[in-house]
Amino acid sequence: MLIRCRHDGRSAENEIWNGAVLVKDNVEFVATCMFGLEKLVAEDIEALGYERTETIDGRVTFRAPLDAAARCNIFFRYAERVLIKVGSFTARSFEELFQGTKSLKWSDMISSRDAFPVKGHSIRSTLFSVSDCQSIVKKAIVTQLSQVYGISIFPETGVKYQIEFFIINDVVTMMVDTSGAGLHKRGYRPRANLAPLRETLAAAMVRISRPRAGVMLLDPMCGSGTIAIEAAMETCGIAPGSGRDFAAESYPFISPGAWSDAREEAKANVRLPLHETEGSDIDPEAVEIAKENAKRAGVDKYVRFSVRDVLDYKKPSPDTRGTVVMNPPYGERMGDIESIHALLGKMHEVFEREIPAWQLYILSSDIEFERWFRRRADKSRRLYNGMIRCSLYQYFKKR
């Protein structure tokens, strides 16, 4: 199915507006993510019924109808951005970059009034200067649009289309961002404590811990509450993007109804929680921030926060089953590293005494974490908190 789209936002079945033709039911999208989360992003894609076509470090490509941009932005729990793939080509010189970019039909999306800033990345490629590549890409897009619209100066006062290029091993992928602010910015966390955990990573930690009915999820060093809030949102079926706006809501070629339909679908998926969720922290101010964030996320009724030192933790009752998911402080983030190492050893003693059969999922960038925690992990998984390389240490064998 082809959709012919006027740049004033009105469809025109028998009209091609400035040559703009979009293939509405067969679009390639790229979902970007932090390294280590590609498999979870792919599962999100397939859960929505879309076809995954390629996975590389930090990005998953898939095919879906154009209006799927709405569902993906609202429902994706682990991705950082959703981008429309405009095209790809090989470029080892600036001339090849210019010609390859110019050959793409940018006028299918961008009108003579619209803004189109450019940013990108280059990895293991002949063209390594990102600033030079940005200039070439911008010039090529202007040239292509000039040929269509017959003008040489573009006011860029209309809809903003953020152009992103990604060059890896000399293969250039050109994309248009649909998300705006990164998808980890759910909208519930205007305030956070020192060195906050990214929401997408917190959600991934929860997913990896395999939450299940009747098993409490506890973060005993919760800070501003991100892990506990993401756990509560997941168990309640709350779509992570249901409380925010996205860049592509202003794109005239994506139906406004797609966004309203996706939000209605998200509302219909909300359910009562399948498990209890708790968070605690020694810092009263952090706990107050966590409570405020939980209220904005719509889960304040389903997650309990309290002021408590992790070393004072007591098992709620003899028959309580639970999983600990936590992100204790580490040297790159905050505090005195010697004190943190001592705390890890004492924390191990508390867990061994109070909850020896509970599963533990602990994120740390300290390569000697197991030494200081005094217990070797049953499994570890490499993840990234922003640019900080971490490991998720997993303890699931019952003692």
Side-chain angles (χ1 to χ4, degrees), residues 53-331:
T53 57
E54 182 184 30
T55 301
I56 63 174
D57 288 348
R59 57 195 60 224
V60 183
T61 304
F62 62 102
R63 289 191 177 278
L66 181 61
D67 283 352
R71 294 183 75 215
C72 294
N73 275 293
I74 290 170
F75 282 93
F76 280 179
R77 204 170 292 275
Y78 316 104
E80 293 297 313
R81 292 186 179 278
V82 178
L83 305 105
I84 298 171
K85 182 178 176 181
V86 180
S88 61
F89 52 88
T90 299
R92 297 183 178 86
S93 67
F94 287 136
E95 179 62 21
E96 289 178 332
L97 178 63
F98 178 87
Q99 294 298 337
T101 303
K102 177 175 170 289
S103 70
L104 302 176
K105 294 187 179 298
W106 297 101
S107 54
D108 280 8
M109 293 186 182
I110 303 170
S111 79
S112 60
R113 303 179 302 276
D114 295 334
F116 46 100
V118 176
K119 62 182 179 181
H121 299 87
S122 179
I123 301 174
R124 301 192 299 273
S125 297
T126 305
L127 300 176
F128 60 85
S129 172
V130 172
S131 59
D132 288 337
C133 290
Q134 285 176 303
S135 298
I136 296 296
V137 168
K138 182 75 173 185
K139 181 179 179 181
I141 296 173
V142 167
T143 301
Q144 197 269 331
L145 295 177
S146 295
Q147 292 174 348
V148 172
Y149 299 123
I151 59 176
S152 58
I153 298 176
F154 291 82
E156 299 200 49
T157 56
V159 175
K160 177 183 175 182
Y161 296 94
Q162 179 64 63
I163 310 299
E164 294 202 17
F165 63 84
F166 180 64
I167 310 175
I168 182 169
N169 297 326
D170 297 325
V171 176
V172 182
T173 302
M174 289 290 176
M175 300 165 288
V176 173
D177 178 40
T178 69
S179 299
L183 296 183
H184 67 277
K185 295 184 178 180
R186 319 291 206 205
Y188 65 73
R189 199 173 72 172
R191 294 177 64 205
N193 64 328
L194 183 63
L197 182 70
R198 189 168 289 199
E199 294 90 330
T200 42
L201 178 55
M205 292 168 62
V206 171
R207 176 67 173 273
I208 294 167
S209 75
R210 298 178 293 114
R212 49 210 180 276
V215 179
M216 175 193 295
L217 190 143
L218 167 71
D219 180 1
M221 301 179 77
C222 70
S224 57
T226 308
I227 292 174
I229 291 169
E230 290 293 329
M233 290 177 68
E234 190 275 342
T235 192
C236 291
I238 297 175
S242 56
R244 53 159 288 184
D245 298 325
F246 303 94
E249 291 187 69
S250 65
Y251 295 176
F253 49 80
I254 296 179
S255 167
W259 299 96
S260 57
D261 289 348
R263 290 190 169 98
E264 286 301 315
E265 180 184 356
K267 287 181 183 178
N269 286 347
V270 177
R271 58 177 181 260
L272 291 175
L274 303 175
H275 60 76
E276 292 183 83
T277 304
E278 291 191 2
S280 59
D281 199 278
I282 195 173
D283 181 359
E285 183 179 357
V287 171
E288 286 305 309
I289 293 173
K291 291 178 179 179
E292 294 171 6
N293 291 342
K295 186 173 183 178
R296 276 186 288 268
V299 296
D300 51 312
K301 295 180 180 179
Y302 307 118
V303 57
R304 294 190 297 272
F305 289 106
S306 61
V307 179
R308 181 174 56 203
D309 190 329
V310 64
L311 302 184
D312 294 333
Y313 185 76
K314 302 291 183 183
K315 187 176 182 180
S317 66
D319 59 345
T320 300
R321 296 190 300 153
T323 299
V324 171
V325 183
M326 64 185 302
N327 175 38
Y330 35 87

Side-chain angles (χ1 to χ4, degrees), residues 35 50 159 233 326 341 352 357 363 394:
F35 293 152
Y50 306 133
V159 175
M233 290 177 68
M326 64 185 302
H341 288 163
E352 285 289 289
L363 184 74
Q394 304 171 45

